Amino acid sequence: MPSSHRSEVLSATGSAPGKVILCGEHSVVYGQPAIAVPVSDLRAQAQITAAAPGSGLRLVAADLGETVTLRTAPADHPLAAIARLTLAEIGAAAPDAVLTVRSALPIAAGLGSGAAVSVALARALATFLGRELTAETVSALAYKVEKIYHGTPSGIDNTVVAWERPVYFVKGSLPEVFSIATPFHLLIADSGQYSSTRAVVAAIRSRRDVDPSRFAAPFKRMGEITRQARIAIASGELPALGVLLDENQALLADLGVSTPEIDRLVNAARAAGAWGAKLTGAGAGGNIIALVAAASLPGVREALRAAGAVHVWHTEVA
Ligand code: PMV
């Protein structure tokens, strides 16, 4: 009997966006909701090309100048881990190929770089093997790798990056993709300080273990802010959304995850006319987001640069 065979694919690509958390970071780890949106202009890209028979699967992190061979890579190597998980998911052996990943996203800066690289890689590899992964499946695979990077992540990064839609997220529940009444503009400004999500989340966890009552009220309020933000987004009340972002920033600063550099950027954005501004992601460095009317974009961008932002990116959430 002739065996069925798939058509030969010699190369394939996959990509995934970055993300920012609009509100609810940290409290999301303890069961409160958070909202994250994709940053479609900043992406991770993966390309896979067939290689000589017997050469195995080589994984190249182009930005880091690093190459590993799947056969010999350690179990906790993030690229090898997502490649192995993808192969197991589709029940295929490693192809003879070179898979290269590149990312426009800064690493360890709260923009979802790890999840985006995982999703882009999984998609390219699956496509190369003649399969397409659903957003749900690729998100679940990337979550397993997020645990390698981050210890006890909530799962928000892999979810928003895999779905590439605004997501209202509660740990352990199906993510809710929700509608936006009025598209809005965000400026994302890099403080130039890098931080480890794993370390920041672990530090909060150990402080909370010692004194749970200190964290109960701020986390609860962050959850309320997120629920109100969802309503503001759904009804297009952008100035009201800005006020909520500012309050979320104050609570995060109170938890100790802001820095003088973040405070400077947030204050500069507000002084230049942003509706609201806050850190995004784990904090202790990384990026801030500013919610800005279209007319104020140039002025706020300029103010962020003057206040020390290493990069300023613009994204429209539509
Ligand atoms: O720093 P990021 O973008 O990976 O976000 C971390 C968000 C936290 O709520 C602090 C942790 C988590 O797992 O949700």
Side-chain angles (χ1 to χ4, degrees):
M1 282 232 328
S3 62
S4 67
H5 60 278
R6 62 181 171 81
S7 58
E8 281 297 300
V9 176
L10 294 178
S11 70
T13 58
S15 101
K19 72 93 195 34
V20 289
I21 296 180
L22 264 194
C23 47
E25 51 273 273
H26 287 297
S27 44
V28 71
V29 175
Y30 301 95
Q32 297 291 341
I35 293 172
V37 297
V39 179
S40 293
D41 307 314
L42 287 179
R43 307 186 74 84
Q45 311 274 358
Q47 170 155 45
I48 177 167
T49 309
S55 60
L57 180 59
R58 269 180 301 145
L59 305 168
V60 182
D63 307 314
L64 307 177
E66 187 192 316
T67 300
V68 293
T69 302
L70 190 66
R71 239 179 247 138
T72 54
D76 64 352
H77 188 288
L79 298 186
I82 188 68
R84 290 185 180 120
L85 286 162
T86 305
L87 293 169
E89 172 67 29
I90 61 187
D96 296 316
V98 178
L99 199 166
T100 303
V101 290
R102 290 191 168 75
S103 175
L105 292 152
I107 296 170
L111 299 186
S113 135
V117 164
S118 289
V119 170
L121 188 156
R123 284 186 174 142
L125 180 54
T127 304
F128 186 76
L129 294 167
R131 291 280 299 275
E132 292 301 324
L133 300 174
T134 63
E136 195 174 349
T137 300
V138 80
S139 175
L141 298 179
Y143 180 63
K144 294 187 179 161
V145 184
E146 288 291 285
K147 288 194 203 163
I148 299 176
Y149 284 116
H150 298 316
T152 54
S154 61
I156 191 168
D157 279 25
N158 47 285
T159 301
V160 66
V161 160
W163 289 85
E164 199 165 349
R165 305 276 294 277
V167 160
Y168 181 85
F169 180 88
V170 178
K171 191 176 175 180
S173 308
L174 275 182
E176 287 177 51
V177 174
F178 65 96
S179 63
I180 289 187
T182 315
F184 58 86
H185 298 276
L186 295 176
L187 289 175
I188 304 166
D190 190 342
S191 70
Q193 302 172 295
Y194 294 95
S195 76
S196 155
T197 296
R198 176 192 277 267
V200 180
V201 170
I204 292 204
R205 188 177 290 283
S206 54
R207 283 168 54 212
R208 182 178 169 274
D209 286 349
V210 173
D211 185 5
S213 61
R214 155 83 180 78
F215 292 85
F219 283 164
K220 182 162 174 272
R221 179 62 196 144
M222 288 180 194
E224 284 161 11
I225 286 172
T226 302
R227 282 185 279 273
Q228 290 168 7
R230 182 181 184 173
I231 295 167
I233 293 168
S235 55
E237 291 162 26
L238 300 181
L241 178 60
V243 172
L244 292 165
L245 299 187
D246 285 348
E247 189 187 347
N248 198 165
Q249 168 64 18
L251 290 165
L252 288 164
D254 212 42
L255 284 189
V257 296
S258 197
T259 63
E261 288 76 8
I262 291 172
D263 292 342
R264 195 158 57 234
L265 294 177
V266 161
N267 290 333
R270 290 175 189 154
W275 279 316
K278 63 182 278 293
L279 67 84
T280 183
N287 283 269
I288 70 122
I289 51 170
L291 178 68
V292 182
S296 304
L297 284 168
V300 176
R301 182 189 277 272
E302 198 44 52
L304 287 166
R305 287 234 176 82
V310 179
H311 292 283
V312 182
W313 296 280
H314 164 248
T315 193
E316 185 176 17
V317 182

